[in-house]
Each structure stands twice: as structure tokens, then as C-alpha cells.
Amino acid sequence: MLRQIGLSSPDELFETVPVELRLTRPLDTPAALSEIELLSRFRGLATRNTAATRPGFLGAGAYSHYIPTIVDHIISRSEFFTAYTPYQPEISQGTLQAIFEFQTLVCQLTGMEVANASMYDGSTALAEAVLMAERVTRRSKVVACDAIHPEYLEVVNTYVQHAGIHLERVGFDENGQISKAVDSAIDDQTAALVVQSPNFFGCVEDITMLAQKAHDRGALLIVVVTEAISLGLLKPPGACGADIVVAEGQSFGVPLSFGGPYVGLFATLEKYARQIPGRLVGEAFDKEGRRGFVLTLATREQHIRREKATSNICTNEGLIALAATVYLETMGRQGLQEVARQCAQKAAYAARRIGELEGFSLPFSAPRFNELVVRAPMNASDLLARLASQNNITGGLALSRYFPDRLNDFLLCVTELNTRSEIDSLVEGLAKVVANSLLTTGA
Amino acid sequence: MLRQIGLSSPDELFETVPVELRLTRPLDTPAALSEIELLSRFRGLATRNTAATRPGFLGAGAYSHYIPTIVDHIISRSEFFTAYTPYQPEISQGTLQAIFEFQTLVCQLTGMEVANASMYDGSTALAEAVLMAERVTRRSKVVACDAIHPEYLEVVNTYVQHAGIHLERVGFDENGQISKAVDSAIDDQTAALVVQSPNFFGCVEDITMLAQKAHDRGALLIVVVTEAISLGLLKPPGACGADIVVAEGQSFGVPLSFGGPYVGLFATLEKYARQIPGRLVGEAFDKEGRRGFVLTLATREQHIRREKATSNICTNEGLIALAATVYLETMGRQGLQEVARQCAQKAAYAARRIGELEGFSLPFSAPRFNELVVRAPMNASDLLARLASQNNITGGLALSRYFPDRLNDFLLCVTELNTRSEIDSLVEGLAKVVANSLLTTGA
Amino acid sequence: MDSDITKVTTHLSHNEALIFDRSQSGRVGYRLPPLDVDETPIEQIVPAEFQRTDDLEGVPEVSEVDVIRHFIRMSTWNYSIDLGMYPLGSCTMKYNSRLNEAVARIPGFANLHPLASEEDAQGALQVIYELEQHLAEITGLPAVSLQPAAGAHGEMTGVMIVRAFIDARDGEGASARRRTMLIPDSAHGTNPASAHLSGFSVKTIKSTSAGLTDLDHLRQLCAAGDVAGFMLTNPNTLGLFETKIQEICRIVHEAGGLVYMDGANMNALVGVARPGDMGVDVIHLNLHKTFSTPHGGGGPGCGPCCCTKELEPFLPVPRVVKRDTDEGYRLDFDRPQSIGRVKAFFGNYGMMLRALAYIQTHGNDGLREATEAAVLNARYIAHGLANDYDRPFPTPPMHEVVFTDKRQTRKGVHTLDIAKRLIDYGFHPMTIYFPLIVPGAMLIEPTESVGRQELDQFIDSMASIAREAVEDPELVRNAPHLTRIGRLDEAAAARRPVLRWQPKTSTGTA
Amino acid sequence: MDSDITKVTTHLSHNEALIFDRSQSGRVGYRLPPLDVDETPIEQIVPAEFQRTDDLEGVPEVSEVDVIRHFIRMSTWNYSIDLGMYPLGSCTMKYNSRLNEAVARIPGFANLHPLASEEDAQGALQVIYELEQHLAEITGLPAVSLQPAAGAHGEMTGVMIVRAFIDARDGEGASARRRTMLIPDSAHGTNPASAHLSGFSVKTIKSTSAGLTDLDHLRQLCAAGDVAGFMLTNPNTLGLFETKIQEICRIVHEAGGLVYMDGANMNALVGVARPGDMGVDVIHLNLHKTFSTPHGGGGPGCGPCCCTKELEPFLPVPRVVKRDTDEGYRLDFDRPQSIGRVKAFFGNYGMMLRALAYIQTHGNDGLREATEAAVLNARYIAHGLANDYDRPFPTPPMHEVVFTDKRQTRKGVHTLDIAKRLIDYGFHPMTIYFPLIVPGAMLIEPTESVGRQELDQFIDSMASIAREAVEDPELVRNAPHLTRIGRLDEAAAARRPVLRWQPKTSTGTA
Ligand SMILES: Cc1ncc(COP(=O)(O)O)c(C=O)c1O
Ligand SMILES: Cc1ncc(COP(=O)(O)O)c(C=O)c1O
């Protein structure tokens, strides 16, 4: 081939690259590994991820739920995972129809009118929601509750820092819900009130009431959900009056995979459709009147609008949105309610058992879904570390990671995958560790 | 639907089944398990298959070779694994073309002219070859070497017991090859001489010479191969004058899976094409002259010939033949030779190291491919059991399983997957176990 | 032309040459680790005259992506269960659960060597033991061997067991006079072929006009005193339950023979009725039908053989038995009366894993519900096609139903044409021209894995083909029209068979 | 009509309704274990007013096999890399190795929670560390963050780093006067959008007639003194290497700005030249392009940001660093100058696993060979299409080449028509109407994952479309003809957008 195009050596392919810029040495990266070697290398690395094999009660934005076997089979279809963004509808209807179904399912679950084709994840979806609220209301102040996932708040901070948006924080009360201070925080410069429900502490917020408060001042209510399974049981934010609902879709058939790829859900009201960030798929027809689907309202996007686009997002989380779609359609109307029910019931059981434990308490009294804050009679990090080493259980997340002053608190998550016996051994483990450490400190 | 066809209860569906035959109780099989429960149950069972996770040197008819990742991806395509036998060529060309390629590859590797679409496995393929030899020659005596895989010989016995075929056995000599007695064993009543090469002891037979002997008496030579990878290095039986070549295709990208499903390869000469058992795929054309493939020469089969069919085989090993096809095309001309080379080289290395071990010897001197018989200074079963428990190595197969008098011999197999360090620890392990047991017996 | 076609339309379909024509010298699709032991001169390992000299000429040289595209493209030319209803009568093409595939791929099973010690394979042996228990309960026949690799293999095994039993019972001399196997004219071809393989001569039993075994003919043939056994399929290949099964068994038993049942149609009976209770002595099952192991485009299968306690001693070796020492399992090779081995190792083990997963995920209630749904769907089709096609036997069918082309032939449209036209409508055709006793047979088995919507679509499609057969017979006779390739000339293919690719300038392959 | 079409023909293609129209009340496709804890009255857990009352009305109710058939059928409507060449310019649609998919599914990675303690996730942290090291070496930029989820996300991160650096360097007041980001008119739309998101105003730099950055214009704009940086793509979106890159960097640096490089086209440079050596300060990569992580029909991606030591303090938190105590790794949150987090947790981790596997299976030589093959293939196409299509820039292209419809427009055939007609020929079209500065642009990027045979097929197809454009323009204007659906009316779709399914008699969804 080289000769055919009149070249005599591969180097000539790079004739337009100044000689002094051409790399004259091999890259200092390893030599090629065969499949056998690579797989054994990565399997070896995997064994050092000890948390992956342990029964666990970690949640806080990433949840281990049952994933039907067919999900991976379907997203592993060559036609889905090796396709590009569906720019050519005539040969991309598979992807397009799947996204249309995804958008519909997101609307049904959140109780909203329109949803997009996905965002990077829940945290960036929230940041984009805040930017959208500013566009919609032309107001520059945003009120956010401290009980939102701390990493989500960090991401929002990063996104809004140069957008001239002032982020005001409101605390939470002794029940674990947003504090009354919210009333005074919202004023007529407020673009939106942002709350998470169930919030970072697992407490369910009174969204209907908060929507009222926001709307009274002409502000939007943005609701963010990190545990999307809760939508199978809790009143959908849309039905409570939310204007924008964003969520992390990882709970819908997506593996934990050390934090990604996940999928951000983004839903709002019809009237804001043209303000939505990201891709939208809509119905369309050909000359013969055959129904199909296309990417639509592209004028919002950077391909056309350049810097005036509603967002810079281009590649999103297509395949993960597909996984979520397969999950939702497989679990279906009954399954989604059943999973939610089991999560809530098992968490309630765990709460009861732990509440009865000598020295332990549950600081927050608000209704919860499947996460709860536990207050231990000792340092939570130490407690969890020993629980892991002595009982081989990952007991949850020490809140000091995000709230340095909450030394004895940890966040516990229970899902349908946690069997009763796992919960029981967690409870026993907690008791044992505390007992032992009291002994040692006592001694 | 019931009502629509005029029934009022499911039981009425079985009106033609005499009441006294209808089961009035639920089956005494377990209640339904969910995916979660079933998977954890089988994963639990799997952990009790301790040999599966240990470095091993077991061969003897089933071999652990490297399987390219793409093999499983391709055979997991819905269109392949959920299709039936290609009775309707217009919507089965994918399967048909793959089989045509399989037949071609089998011919290329064995050096034969025609091959079928697969048999159940190597052992049944051998039995069918013996029956075919009887059909072709109209002779009723078959001479088989004792160095054929014992289980294969058992299967042949079962198949021929009612076919009026007399099976005469010939031993092997001190080199591990078929004994000179073969000369007198073959007479003009002999339908075929049957040899395995590399034989059960890993020794390569002189097929050219044996073909000569068989043909001199008007008998056919049937060659069976259990380690098909050897075809990447050894002279193909076809080039040595074999009339029928059968093989176990498991080495070509098929997991061990506790003995099956595997795939039997069956190849012979053009002139015997109409005597072949099983399915054949051939080229065909439609009215517009488009090339396609169809099941052909069906007149050999039971659908038409009933009891006069060349065999009773119907469902064969389609998907496994596909796996082998993907494997062979992926490894390709170079890869197949490289795998064979590495197997032979590593086995030679192991043989050398073990040969140097105090008290160990290699009884057979004939050339070998990747299997060898080792004679230990102690009972081989005990030796291997201790090697497993003390060194976590599956050291091979104690020959006493099939040859009760060979108490100290075991069969060792080395493939490209056995690293040098595995071989070295095997050697050290053997030495250590023997040393210890001498001590204990000494004490 | 295809106004009534709703299930499919046409779309781009990729062409793909034979891999051999894609091969480019020097290309590779694999990578292996470098040899990590010091190399021995190859002649010292294998003398030159034993080595291959053709450098594997002709074997393809392609890249990994070439291989992927090759097979992905080819795969799109296939119909499959996952694309829709697959009503091949007698084949029970039901949904193949992905869960079962996952189970079969658990490394602890997939990487287990068949010659691993019993100690090292307890999990695998337990799976065999449990599956045998379940199949014994389902068939009502207490002794089971999972060794046969497919239905026909199970037939051979079962028939050999019958022979071994009679030899043992009557003694050489007497048993030598019992070498006749009775087989209905409606039986599947593998039945006579398997009987022949076991050294039996076959006598054919007529079916009555009702499509059932002709009992008079049976009595008559049994009178001869040379009958070793009777192989019948129940429900038979017409989808009809042999109502007189108990009497049939009595007749055969009184004549000194045994009753072999071809269990290919067990999908009509699981959880509803048990062959053992009917008087059957031995049966084979097709795990790749009734128990949903994938058919794989022609296998692998698994054809367990289940029999009475009386016949147990003759089952193939080895058997998996409970250890008396503990809860564990062991292999029992010591069975002097066994017919021997029918396959190396333990059979198609991977299929056993899938079948066990099928049974345990369905549960006993689920198994019966599946049977009910399968029969209901067949009944629904029998009802839905009644106006357009001739149904030779009025009896209510079980899990499959047979129709014929009788009405259509008047216009010169035959079963083959109807089947090919059905392809244009987006369905895989039914089984055609089987059973042989029904001229122009169309044997339809929907299985439980199809919903109401698609059943209606199928019925409507068949109805509109019936219309086409009257209004535009040519259209049907030349079908299919929407496929990437038309009807292939099978006669020509058989006349001068081309069974393999040959290099343009063939130099032979070795 | 399709005499010259060799890559495809037509075949049956299954229809499939929206899942909502397939739903049948009461059907389920899942099964869960029974609840194993004693049940608490639900109101005691969540008060009634906080509970859902719509019983999830409208959410589909289907069986598992329904779901399988639904998606398997739909999947067959897609084109994909595994079906053939996918020459979307700027998208680098290369083969996605199955091995990398297997790696990402190793349970020890797939089941690892992002908040597991450092101790419990050492293997995962090492993967991040190694990949960062490799990307640093490949780009010549020593500091790397893998947190961004895609290219645009990486752009935003990089531009924010530029801004943070300037703020720190110049101090609030002065830096407030540096709020201009220079972007070539040929740049991808995400560049200005990302700059805007970081509070910069965008000034556009003209391209020369040769398709390269206009240095005079650059100098002129830099003179204003308000330039924070220059975002350029190299090779640029015309597939041309910016030969004057070093001078460009010098100009920008002397003007007090930084140089941001859009690394979407790194497939032309890996192993051949390094942005860091050119003077670039910060770059983003697209692992879902250059490093072959599957594009998945629109993501997920991964857009690492690589920068100089000088800029390192501003990278997102947390960073993965080596522990000084031992060989292990830890998370470093203590980076006071960091721009902050751009995503929860660590980014699209699964893509990092795949990219690392890609780099380690290719090896350093293999990475360079891939680059050479990618450029060679683009050159081959540039050469092969020269006679039939107008090529606006004579400069030899790198990994992609741009042509236009200039010659075809005379006959009223435009780029869109050519693209659609290419579909009939069995190819996915190239990127069209991008970059915007080239009227009727057709940007073709073959990548290294296509063989000679298919390249020739592509060139022949384009040639015959060029012929058709002359002889039968209508044919081309109405293409595609062989697909299951024709051109869709996108204008109408945007006018009255239907973005979701609605029940026939909508009752609202909550
Ligand atoms: C009635 C009947 N008997 C026996 C068989 C043979 O089973 P197999 O193909 O598994 O050998 C079949 C399958 O085609 C069948 O339908
Ligand atoms: C040149 C260029 N820059 C940036 C991007 C944006 O990357 P992503 O889609 O991953 O956000 C793309 C991809 O379309 C591109 O081609």
C-alpha cells in the first residue's frame, strides 16, 4: 500500500510533522502482553480489591443491587456496544428506539414530562440542572441543602464557580431533613432550591412542601436522587411539584465498577424542553409514513450553537442508559416495586436490630428508604476497620470522610442483596467489636 | 386464550391423557429459585471442584489450552446458539457457511479429502469409523492397539458388540508404540487397523509404516487423535496414508467442562463420502446463481434411510464445531504451529527435568508430543494425592486407573498454559513428596 | 406482494466471503507469550519424517477483527429463537435462558478436568446426582444415566439395555430368537437406525386412521414371539397422546418384550403425567428440547436414559453414587452387567448444568405451568388454522399439531412452498414432511416461549398464505422472496457434492 | 440500481414495537428471593403521603423472552464496527477488543465499591496510577487526571485549569482582564462550549487557505493582551498537522496565554510525536477514540486531562499517589489549588481498565504501528478518491482526510445525498458538514481497524456514487433505498417534538 501511494517508508507518512518533533525512541510503556499474560495480570490486581468479595453495606451514591443476567448479554451485542452516536438514523434505529424508551421510563419513574438521553452521572446532571435553572429563571442565586451528597456539592461548586452563580447552603435539622432556615434562604433572586431525597443520610424530604416554598418565591425546585430504586416506592418528585429531577441511574442494572461508568438521569417539564442539556431523541417519519426516531432539537447543542449551547456535553452514557433500559423493562412494573419494598424492609429490619444494640443509636428520626446513619459508642472508622478485618464485613461509610466532626457516625445501606443472615452478622459484629475495644481500652 | 378454544380449565388441555395417569400431586422437585439464589448455589458447588483452580498437568483425552476471548463472544451470539440445525438454508446460511469452513479446516489439518459436520466426540467418532470400515470393506475383523485411550476402546466395544464385528487387540512395545504383533494380527478378514497417534502414552506412532501394513492386506487404516493440537506439528495422518481420521476437537477452543460438550472430528477419502456418518454441508446455488450452502447427501441419514442409514446420529455438536472453527481461524496458520511448538518444547523440558530426578524414570523412549509416562519410585496415586494436598498441583493421571498393574506410572501432560515456573514447582514437588514419604516409610 | 407481512421488512444484510478467500499471507489474529523454557532442537523431539511439511498451507491467515466481522456478519444470516417463534415440530425450540449460560461458564465448572479425582470434583458430581434425581422424578423411572450425548444416542443406549436385559433374562439361546424391535410408521428415523445399531431387525407398526398405534397390528406382531421391544413416542409424532398406552404396555410385556419410549415430546407431559406410571420400561429425554439447553445450530445435546430398577444394572458405566462414608459422591465403575460406555468421560456435562438450572429456576410448579402453556399454545394454533388448512386427525393435540397441504395442492401449492413463503412472513417454518405417514405434513410446535401476539401473527400469516395459494399460487411457489438468497438447488448439490473449499490452484493439503 | 454494490444485499429484518405497546398486564420478567426479614407495616417505614400512588402505571410488564427478543431485534437495525468499516471522521471508530471487555468484567473490579477503603482497593488504585503514567509518557505531559467522563468534560477541566493557573499567576485583578479563549474556526463545537462554561469569551481564529492556523491573525489577537489561552486540535479537524505548532505555542506563551490541545485526534500521533514536546500545556484525550474503549452508541467515554508539572496543582481532586510507607497507593485530597471535583468518585473507571488493557496488549511498538496503519489508511483513501471528489487542501493528511461535494453539487447532489447513498453500499457514512469551514465537508477516518480489501471496496463505492451523481442524480438524492426505513423528516420532528411514549388515553404518570 505504501508504494501505491508513492511512499517508500512509514516515516514518510509523517512528513508534515517537523523532524525535531518526531519521536526517535520507542515509547517508555511496557512491551506487548499476550491475552494469557494480560488476563492473569489483571486477575492478580483484582484479588487486591478485597472489598469486592466481601458482604457489604456501602451505599452513599453507589449501590449493589441484583442485575438480571440478560442485561450484560444485551449490552454486549456488537450492534449496540460497537456503534457510534446515532447520527445516521437509517442504520441506527436500534439505538434510537432504545433511547426513546429510556426517556419514557425516566419520565414515568420521576413523574416528569421530558427526559434526555443521559448525562455523565448524577453529580454532573445536578450541576447541569443548576445551570439550567439559572438560564430558565435568569436568577443567579441557588440554595442547596447540606444533606446533598458531598461529592455532588463539590461538582456543583466546580461547575458554577465561573457562571456567576452564588451557591447558598442550608443545613439540616435534628431529624436529618433540610432545616427551617430554608424559608429565609429562598428569596426572589433565587433561581432554584436544590434538595436530595432520600438525602445523603437516607432521610426522605418533604418535597411537596419544599416545592411550595420554592414556587412561592418564583424559584424552581431541583430534586436529586442518588438511590434511584427509591422511585419504586416513594412519591415521584414530579408528583410533588419538582421542576427538574436528576438522578444517578447506577442502581438500574449497572455494576459498581469502582465508581463508573454510571448514568445521569435528567428530567424536567415540557415547557423547558428547549433548555435541556444533552441529547434528545424524538419520533419522526419517513416519506412512506414509517415511524422512526432521530436525534432532535439539536439547535440546543454545541455542534450548531457553539458557545451558546445549553451544555458542552457531547458523548454521554449511551450504553449505560441501555443497560438501565434493559433493567427497567426486565424488572418491570411489579419488579421495581418489589425491589424497593425489599430494600426498605431490610433497612428497617437492620435499623431495628442496631437500634436495640447497647451503646448504638440512630441520630436521625426522619422516614428513610434504605440508608441510615448509625452513631457508635466509638470511633466509626476504627469500628469499621475492625469489622472488616475481624468479621470480613464492609460495614458502611464513616461519615468523618465528609463530616470531620461526626467521628462516631457511619452511613449504612441495605439492599435486596443483603440477606437476613448478613444483617444479623453485621449486628453481632458491631456488638463484638465494640465489646472488645471497650475491654482493651478498659484494660 | 383457554376460553377462546372452548376450554374452561388448564386440566382440560390433557383430556386425552387417561385420568388415572394424570399426576395429581406436584412433582417432588425443589421449589423455584431466583437468579440470585441459583447463581450463589452453583457458585457454591463450583468451589468444591478444587481441581478447577489448581495448576494442572492432566491430559489423557482432555486438554487445557488457551482459548481466545473472541471464541465465547461469537458462540454466544443469539443467532448462533439459539438456532436449530440448518434445515431451512435461506435463513441459516450463517451456520451453514461456518460448518463448510469447519469441514475444510478439518480436511486441511488431518490431510484428508472430506470431513463431516461433527460427531459427538472423539470416542464415538472412532466407534463410527470402525462401523464405517466394516461397511466399506465388508470385512468383520478390526485390529486395535492397546495404546488407544482406554475409554475410547470401551466405547468402540459398546458400539460394535451387536454389529458382528470382532475386535482384536494388539499390545505395545517397550518404546510405547504398537507392537510388531500387528503384522500377524492383520489378515485378509481385517476391515481396519486402528491406532492412536500420539497414543495414550503420548508416543507418536509410525503411521506411514502402519498404513503400508494395513493396505498390504486390503485393510483400512483408521487413525484417532485425542490431542488435536499435535496436528500443528506432526505429519497429518492423511499424508501418511490413513483412510479414516477421527479426532477429539476439544483442544480447539473448547473448555474442559468436566468432559463435555466436546466435538468429534471425522475425515476420510472422497471415494467414501457416501459412507460417512453424520451431517455434511455442501455448496449449492439458487436460480440467480448466488452461491450458498445446504445440508447434503441426506440419503445417508435416518430421516430417509431409516434403519439402513450410515448412522443414527442426528443432533451433533454444532456449536462446539463453531467454537473450533473460530479458534482455528483466530490462531490461523502461524498460531496453530506456534501452539504445537510450545506444547512440544515445554513437554520436552518437563521430561528432561523429571528424567534427571533421583528415582524417577520415563519408561517409554518413542518420540512424544506433549504427554509422557513417568515412573515414580512410589505408588503414583499416593504421590499425586500428596502433590495436590501439599503443593497444590494436579500432577497428572495415575495409570492404575486404566492399567491396574502400572502402580507407579502416571501420565503427564504439558501445554502452552503451563509456565516454566509451574513445571519447575511440579518437579520440585515430586522430589519433595518422594523424599518425605521415603522418610516416613524409613522411620 | 407483502402487504400482509407485519413481522418483518427488508434491510441491509452484509455479505461475507469464505474465510479462505479473505486470508492474507502473514496476518495473525493471536498472540501467545514467548516460549519460557530453553528450546530443544525440534528434531530431537520429533524426527523430521514425523513432522508436518506443508507449513499448514491453506489454513487462513487473518486478524482478530477479520474473524469478528466474519462471524458477526454471517450470524446475521440466521434465524434464531431470540428473533422469534421457531415452531419446528418435534424440536421444542423454547427460550434458552441466559442465566443457564452463565451457570455453565462458572470457572469452577468450565475449567474442571474430567479426570480430576473424585475428591477434587465433588461439586460437579453432585450436579450429576441431583439432575438424575430430578429426571427420575419427572419420568417416574428411577434409574438414570446422563452419558448419552443426544436423543439418538440415548435411543441406542436404551435399546442396548433392552437387549442386555433380555439376554440376561432368557439366556443366549432363547434371546437370540428375540431380535425384533417394533416401531410405528410414524416414528422418527433415529428410532429404526438406533434399533439397527443394536442388532435388531425392525418391524413397522401401522397407525390407525386416528393417528394412534394400531393395537390389532401390535397384537398380531407380538404373537410371533420374537419381539424384544416396542419403541413408541408419546405423545406421538403427530402430537397425539397414545390414549391406550397402558394397554400397549400390557400387550408388549405379555409378549415378553419391553417398552421403550422416545421422550422427545416430553414437553407435553412434564409435571402432568409420567412414563413410568404408564408402564414404560425405558426412555430417553432430550435436554436440548424439553429442558431448554440451546440447540446451537445442531448441537450439542444431551440424551439421558431413564429406566426401571429392573433395568438399572445395565446402564452405562460409570454411575455417580452417594458415598456411604459421608455426604459426598463417588464414581461406581463396578457394574458387571452394564452395556458399557457409550461416550468418553461423563457425557455432555455443560448441558447437564443448564438443564439442572432450568429445573431449579422453574421449580415444580413452574415446570407444570410450562407444560400447560406449551399445550395451550398448540391448541390455540390448531384452532386458529382449522379454517385454512387440512388437519388429518381431529383428536385434540398436545404440544404440537399436524396439518397438511391437502387443500392447497389443488392449486399446485405444496407444503414446501408454504414453508418457504412463511419465511417471507418472518417466521421459521414448521417441520415439514414429517411424520412420513402424513402426506405433505406440516408439524407445528409453538412451545411455551411465545406470547399471544406472536401466535396471532403466525395464524394470520398462515391464513394469508392460504389466500395467496388460491389467488397467486406462483407467488407462493417461488418463495421466499425477501431473503438474501433464494431456494438452493439441493439436487445438483448432492449430484456433484462440493464439501470443502479448495485453493484455486489446488496443490493438495499435505 | 445496485449493480456495483458488493458489500451488502438485502434480507429479512424483524420489526419490533415499542416495549410499552408490547406490555401485558400481569407479565413479569424477573424473580427475586422472598423477603427474608419479618415485614414492618410499610406506613411505619414511610408515611402514606410520601409513597407512590400510581402503582407505576405505564411501566412495561413483559416476560424475559419478550425483553430478549425486543432488544435482539432492535439491535439488528444498527450498523456497528463489528459489521464493517466505520469511517466517521474525528470519531476514531476502531475495533473494540473483546479481551478488554473481559478485563472490565473481572468481578474484583466490577463489584468494587468506589468508597471502599484504600486498603481494600489497592488493585483498582494501581490501575489508575499505571494508566496515568502511560498517558503521561504518550502525551509528554507528566500530570494526568482520569476523572473527566468524556472529551468535552476533559476540555472543561483543562480550560478551568488554565483559568485557575492564570488567576494564581496574575492575581484576581489582572487575571480578570484575561478572559479570552482563542479557538480556530475549524474547531469542534465542544471547544467553545467548554470555554464558555469556564467563563471565557471566545474569539475565533481564521484558518489559512492551506487549512492551518492563520499565524498573523493569531499574533494580532494575541496583541490585545486579554488572551488566556488558545485551544487547538492537532492534527486539526481537517486531518492536517499544524506544522507551525512550535511557533504557535511560542506566540501564545509570549502573549501570556497557555496552549490547550484537543487530543481527539491523537490516533495520528501516538508513538510518533508528543504534544508536550510541541509546547502544549494541557490536553484532553478521548479514551473512547484513540484507546479503543467502545463508543456504546453514545458513550460512556473517558476524557483524561494531561498537563505540565506547572499546572499539576490545579488538577481535580482526588489524585492517586504512591504511599511513601510502602509500595501501595493512596488518595490525595489535600490539593488546595485544585479546580475541585468534576465528577463524583473517580470517573468512568470501567473505561480506564479497557484503555490500560489496550495499551498493555499493544505494547509500545504496537501503539506506534497502529498509528502508522491509521495514517496509511487515510492516505490510501486520499489517494483513491482524488479523481472523483474535490479535496480542498492538497497537504498530505494524517489519520483522516476531508473531501467536499463541490463537483457533485453541479448536478444537485450534495454531501448528505452522498452519505445516504453510501449506506446503500453497506458503509456507515463519513462525518459530514464538519468542520464547518469546509462547505459540504466529508471527513473520512478509516482508522487502523480496516484491511486493504474493505478500503478498496469503500473507494470503489465512492467512485460509483460519483458516477451515479452524474448519470442518475435522483437515485442518489433519494437514497438510501435498501434500508428498512427511509430518510426521516427531522425538521418536522423538531417542530413538534415527541420525546416520549404516551398511553393512548394518557392519565399522566403519577
Ligand atoms: C421424535 C424424535 N426422536 C428422536 C430425535 C433425535 O434426537 P437427537 O437429534 O437429539 O439425536 C428427535 C430429534 O430430532 C425427535 O424429534
Ligand atoms: C475534535 C473533537 N473534540 C472534542 C470532542 C468531544 O468529545 P466527547 O464526545 O467525548 O465529549 C470530539 C468528539 O466528538 C471531537 O471530535
Side-chain angles (χ1 to χ4, degrees), chain A residues 84 314-315, chain D residues 90 150-152 155 188 190 233 262 264 284 286 288-289:
Chain A
Y84 199 74
C314 183
T315 291
Chain D
S90 203
E155 294 170 22
H188 190 266
T190 51
T233 311
D262 179 329
H284 86 262
N286 297 60
H288 46 299
K289 295 180 180 180

Side-chain angles (χ1 to χ4, degrees), chain A residues 302-317:
Chain A
Q302 40 0 73
H303 294 300
I304 296 168
R305 283 290 275 310
R306 315 289 286 179
E307 62 265 38
K308 296 189 193 50
T310 54
S311 165
N312 69 330
I313 191 170
C314 183
T315 291
N316 45 34
E317 303 290 305

Side-chain angles (χ1 to χ4, degrees), chain B residues 23 25 28 41 49-50 54 62 78 83 88 90-91 95 109 151 158 233 235 258 316 333 337 345 420, chain C residues 33 36 40 50 52 55 70 78-79 82 110 112-113 120 124 130 137 272 297-298 341 345 360 420 499:
Chain B
L23 208 56
R25 58 166 180 88
D28 180 17
R41 177 159 202 281
N49 298 329
T50 40
R54 224 186 260 144
S78 294
Q88 298 289 343
E90 298 88 348
I91 47 176
T95 296
L109 289 164
E151 297 197 5
T158 308
L233 173 67
K235 197 177 192 65
F258 205 49
N316 45 34
R333 185 177 185 169
Q337 297 185 63
Q345 286 291 345
R420 182 199 186 115
Chain C
D36 60 358
T40 312
F50 288 173
R52 191 150 199 144
D55 190 24
H70 182 65
N78 276 4
Y79 189 89
D82 285 2
L112 184 61
H113 193 287
D120 283 339
E130 282 184 13
E137 163 66 4
V272 169
R341 246 185 202 290
F345 308 126
Q360 297 188 344
K420 296 302 185 188
L499 305 176

Side-chain angles (χ1 to χ4, degrees), chain B residues 421-432:
Chain B
S421 72
E422 277 176 25
I423 298 171
D424 292 343
S425 33
L426 165 72
V427 174
E428 289 148 24
L430 289 171
K432 223 183 277 114

Side-chain angles (χ1 to χ4, degrees), chain C residues 37 121 128 176 255 259 332 339 365 392 479 490 508:
Chain C
V37 300
I128 292 177
V259 177
D332 179 6
I339 61 164
D365 52 350
E490 309 197 0

